[in-house]
Amino acid sequence: MITLHHVPQTRSFRILWFLHEAGLPHRVSYHSFAGKALRDPAFLALSPAGRVPAVEVGGEVLFESGAILEVLAEGHAPALGRAPGHAERGRYLEWLHYGETLAQHLAQLTFHHIALKPADRSPVVQKLEALRLRRALEGLDRALTGDFLLEGFSAADIMTGASAEIARRFVPFDGLDRVTDWHARLTARPGYQAALAVDGPAELYLQERYYD
Ligand SMILES: N[C@@H](CCC(=O)N[C@@H](CS)C(=O)NCC(=O)O)C(=O)O
């Protein structure tokens, strides 16, 4: 049995989505950013920085969403990964980890639109990070030449697609036609919808849009 430590609307959704796509039996341990539960020594023993996701699988504890997806795909759902030696291995790892290129900007935007008190928010950071996020999405748009990032659906679509789903709240997708179609294709998947249904109550992104 796989246990996923999860906070709704965060990077741990990537793993939740993967587990549903792969049809892997699992249990979700729900956490919240409210309170100090993620700073509890018991949780820090699972995830050294007190972050989600963390996963317990076969007596092992894994943290870092990209590493978790690589390990779970290799061990439990090979069709969603691209094993060493596969012709798409390099592209797979690049686009899998591109999710974090998007997520670094999402973290800053989340701080400066939501987490910080209004007096501590920086309009400069808001503007700059939205611009940098948009540029990273434009790169993704140029690379998307088919239905998915690789020849077929993979964990790279999950990792980067979950970040794109949050990104749409901070920047308009106007002109990003391939990203728009890919995002619609991903979010229509039964695996995505099943994960969304059990994501848990939203406590982070309460608005659809954080831009005018
Ligand atoms: N690179 C890590 C980042 C993990 C991360 O920062 N997770 C956020 C949620 S999206 C978190 O747990 N934040 C809690 C905190 O910063 O205290 C990964 O991909 O798993």
Side-chain angles (χ1 to χ4, degrees), residues 21 31 67 115 150 185:
E21 291 283 354
H31 301 273
L150 306 175
R185 201 172 296 121

Side-chain angles (χ1 to χ4, degrees), residues 7-10 33 110 114-115 166 201-207 210:
V7 173
Q9 298 185 305
T10 70
F33 288 154
T110 301
I114 298 167
I166 306 292
E203 62 175 57
L204 203 49
Y205 305 109
L206 303 179
Q207 293 174 213
Y210 292 90

Side-chain angles (χ1 to χ4, degrees), residues 10-11 14 33 38-39 50-53 64-66 100 159:
T10 70
R11 288 171 174 91
R14 294 164 170 168
F33 288 154
L38 297 185
R39 298 293 175 267
R51 308 283 172 90
V52 289
E64 287 293 333
S65 57
E100 281 302 276
M159 179 93 174

